Amino acid sequence: MAYWLFKSEPGTWSWDDQKAAGAKGTEWDGVRNYQARNFMRDMKKGDLGFFYHSVKEKQIVGIVKVSAEAHPDSTDDTGKWECVDLVEVCDVPEPVHLDQIKDEPKLEEMVLVNNSRLSVQPVSAQEWDIVCRMGGLKKPPKA
């Protein structure tokens, strides 16, 4: 199992929207970047990810789980884009801001620090544990 980070503009799809989707979850659709699409192709059912509010907030606010592996994106008419489905796992009690992540020396290699524009990205197991602790999760969910 692996860990990921999913970025969303809260005005388009927020953490509250994701939680409102309930156990049914939702497609992580609309991704139009080849590297991000390829990461989604690598995902397995049960993988966990951080839900990151981009733009002004720039913070990790929740944790999601992959509930369906890569499949055609229903918002794409070309047939070249794919997505995964996600369900909410839990809130991050103390949202973790990008500045906090950048200030943590153990996270200097994290993709978010070095390529903050990529909308879907991998997270190492060590990064996962550190960020979960920073967010007030005493027992981080495990993939």
Side-chain angles (χ1 to χ4, degrees):
M1 295 291 176
Y3 300 102
W4 308 93
L5 183 140
F6 299 88
K7 292 174 64 180
S8 183
E9 296 178 13
T12 302
W13 185 258
S14 70
W15 178 237
D16 286 338
D17 294 325
Q18 185 66 48
K19 292 194 308 185
K24 178 183 171 199
T26 186
E27 284 187 343
W28 196 256
D29 60 17
V31 174
R32 300 297 185 262
N33 173 284
Y34 288 104
Q35 188 175 17
R37 180 204 59 193
N38 292 343
F39 284 140
M40 287 193 287
R41 286 178 172 173
D42 292 338
M43 293 177 187
K44 302 293 181 215
K45 189 174 180 179
D47 283 358
L48 295 173
F50 290 125
F51 191 105
Y52 180 92
H53 276 171
S54 61
V55 190
K56 292 179 184 174
E57 289 187 32
K58 297 181 182 172
Q59 61 186 359
I60 293 170
V61 295
I63 294 178
V64 292
K65 177 170 53 174
V66 175
S67 60
E69 295 180 11
H71 58 83
D73 182 329
S74 67
T75 66
D76 171 41
D77 294 331
T78 69
K80 66 180 174 181
W81 299 106
E82 297 173 32
C83 64
V84 295
D85 292 359
L86 301 176
V87 295
E88 173 243 350
V89 172
C90 66
D91 293 320
V92 171
E94 301 164 23
V96 183
H97 195 275
L98 178 60
D99 289 340
Q100 292 172 269
I101 293 169
K102 287 182 174 181
D103 286 343
E104 172 53 62
K106 293 178 182 172
L107 298 175
E108 68 184 4
E109 297 299 319
M110 191 170 182
V111 175
L112 183 63
V113 171
N114 297 294
N115 188 357
S116 62
R117 294 185 52 86
L118 189 60
S119 63
V120 177
Q121 50 191 255
V123 173
S124 75
Q126 179 184 10
E127 293 164 347
W128 180 262
D129 287 341
I130 292 168
V131 173
C132 283
R133 283 195 306 273
M134 291 170 71
L137 291 165
K138 296 187 187 325
K139 188 174 180 184
K142 296 292 182 185

